[in-house]
Amino acid sequence: MRAKLVAKTFFLLTIFFGIVPTTPGDAQTSKGSALADEQQVKQFLSSLMSSDAAGKIKVVVRDAKYSPSTHELVIALSVTNAGVEAVRFGELVADGFRFLDPALFKLPVPYPEKFVVQSASLDNEVPIYPSGTRETTLKIGEFDRLLQSKRNARSRRGSSIRINGYLAFFSSTGRRYAVRIDKAVETPASETAETAQEQKLKRQFLDALDPVHAAPAIQAIVKDAAYDATAKTLTLEFQARNVGDEMVKFGELIVDERRFLNPRIYTAPVRNYPLQLVYTSAASIDSDNALTSGETREVKLVVSDFDSVMNARKDKMPAALDAFLEFWSPVGHRFVTRINAKFRATN
């Protein structure tokens, strides 16, 4: 019986936290894995920059559109093969993500799995032969994974997105030709505003945050809330106390309807909230170890892309930070606590 209980607990921890309870050795292993992933990404991007594509494959981006409702990027291209080998499209690489054409790539590929998406498709898969030029359309599905992980890709001044990366073409001999592209992407005006369904989902989510209905299991005392206008980050230092009977982990900070997520908890795109208000990989906490029952801990939380909040306030510096901190237990219980702290600017 005890063995079954342990196995069930292990399973739940794996599902909701993505990891089992950590020891110092486990934490070191996790950090080492993250560093290895970062190094692998850097090496791959370096190889793209040293590609011998210069002058051999020429690409003109005619048009690029992103649809928030379908999470799809559509790029109209003109591709000219000025080399001596026939080539075909293989992938789009942007912000460390590799959007692969599954017709060419078979998983797994030697790259961090969290940055690999098999969602690229060209309207014509026939190779482009030497001296040939082709007008073609490239579709990239699940493009919101990039947007949610790196919100700097989205302009704060409007609905546009900028795609900056590489298109990679391959010859039959396996040679890669990587071509740099940099293009502002249009978002259809009809999809810029929140839909009625998005507004409904947002209201439901925000109503659920009402502290009157939240179990008072987590207490938070804010020591400092500082905004760095240059780095566009909020640094929040607080004391967290778990007075409940379940271990918990920090999940997100909610400010002015914007959700700044901890990627260790939210490992997949958020579908039940307006995409333009979700900032994945934006909340970095100094310790991802679970806060056990009865434990009190000093916590430092750094939130990137916080300029989205400040810009919405028309650059007015608020006197106080009114927000919600959300924590999750391994069985999926959400614990929300409201904070209201003095707010200051560091520069």
Side-chain angles (χ1 to χ4, degrees):
M1 182 71 178
R2 184 174 180 178
K4 290 183 177 179
L5 180 61
V6 171
K8 183 177 180 180
T9 302
F10 181 91
F11 173 75
L12 290 171
L13 286 170
T14 303
I15 293 296
F16 291 99
F17 285 167
I19 56 175
V20 296
T22 60
T23 64
D26 293 332
Q28 291 174 5
T29 300
S30 178
K31 290 180 180 178
S33 177
L35 289 174
D37 285 351
E38 182 179 351
Q39 183 64 26
Q40 192 173 24
V41 171
K42 287 182 178 179
Q43 290 176 347
F44 177 77
L45 295 178
S46 178
S47 72
L48 291 183
M49 289 186 285
S50 61
S51 166
D52 59 358
K56 298 177 182 177
I57 306 298
K58 299 178 181 179
V59 174
V60 176
V61 180
R62 303 290 190 194
D63 186 39
K65 292 183 179 180
Y66 172 69
S67 170
S69 61
T70 62
H71 310 288
E72 185 178 66
L73 175 69
V74 179
I75 307 176
L77 303 169
S78 176
V79 183
T80 299
N81 184 354
V84 296
E85 295 183 282
V87 298
R88 58 165 297 178
F89 169 78
E91 64 181 306
L92 168 69
V93 183
D95 291 334
F97 279 83
R98 297 179 65 183
F99 296 93
L100 310 181
D101 184 345
L104 184 63
F105 283 92
K106 305 300 179 185
L107 294 180
V109 297
Y111 201 73
E113 185 178 350
K114 61 185 176 182
F115 295 125
V116 175
V117 190
Q118 277 200 313
S119 64
S121 63
L122 209 61
D123 62 352
N124 189 340
E125 297 284 1
V126 175
I128 303 172
Y129 293 95
S131 301
T133 296
R134 179 178 301 163
E135 301 294 323
T136 187
T137 300
L138 173 63
K139 292 184 178 181
I140 307 293
E142 298 184 61
F143 193 71
D144 55 319
R145 286 183 57 175
L146 181 151
L147 297 178
Q148 291 186 0
S149 69
K150 187 163 183 172
R151 296 301 305 194
N152 287 335
R154 182 181 294 276
S155 168
R156 305 302 185 209
R157 296 185 296 275
S159 60
S160 66
I161 301 163
R162 192 159 201 92
I163 179 68
N164 188 312
Y166 292 89
L167 291 175
F169 297 82
F170 294 81
S171 71
S172 60
T173 59
R175 187 184 299 274
R176 174 191 281 117
Y177 298 93
V179 184
R180 187 73 179 260
I181 62 170
D182 186 359
K183 179 73 172 179
V185 181
E186 177 188 350
T187 300
S190 61
E191 299 197 49
T192 302
E194 289 181 7
T195 64
Q197 177 64 13
E198 285 179 322
Q199 292 175 355
K200 179 181 178 181
L201 290 171
K202 186 175 70 175
R203 285 196 303 270
Q204 291 175 340
F205 176 82
L206 295 174
D207 288 345
L209 296 180
D210 189 337
V212 173
H213 302 294
I218 310 299
Q219 299 173 351
I221 300 175
V222 178
K223 304 294 183 65
D224 188 42
Y227 173 64
D228 185 331
T230 301
K232 302 177 182 178
T233 60
L234 169 73
T235 300
L236 188 65
E237 297 182 21
F238 62 96
Q239 182 186 80
R241 184 183 180 192
N242 185 353
V243 296
D245 56 5
E246 297 181 80
M247 71 172 98
V248 297
K249 281 192 173 185
F250 168 74
E252 64 180 303
L253 174 74
I254 301 102
V255 185
D256 292 353
E257 300 183 349
R258 288 166 174 78
R259 300 176 61 184
F260 298 92
L261 309 184
N262 178 1
R264 294 295 185 90
I265 297 297
Y266 289 91
T267 57
V270 175
R271 302 292 190 185
N272 62 340
Y273 204 77
L275 174 64
Q276 61 270 26
L277 298 177
V278 179
Y279 298 78
T280 302
S281 301
S284 173
I285 198 165
D286 58 353
S287 174
D288 270 313
N289 290 335
L291 188 69
T292 59
S293 178
E295 181 182 356
T296 298
R297 183 185 301 166
E298 300 296 324
V299 178
K300 182 177 181 180
L301 174 64
V302 178
V303 180
S304 61
D305 287 334
F306 202 74
D307 58 315
S308 62
V309 173
M310 305 305 291
N311 291 345
R313 294 171 178 264
K314 302 185 185 304
D315 296 325
K316 294 179 180 179
M317 181 61 64
L321 175 68
D322 188 11
F324 294 96
L325 290 171
E326 176 201 80
F327 298 80
W328 286 90
S329 78
V331 294
H333 292 156
R334 172 192 278 126
F335 299 96
V336 179
T337 183
R338 191 162 193 166
I339 59 173
N340 191 286
K342 290 183 178 180
F343 193 84
R344 66 184 182 88
T346 59
N347 56 23

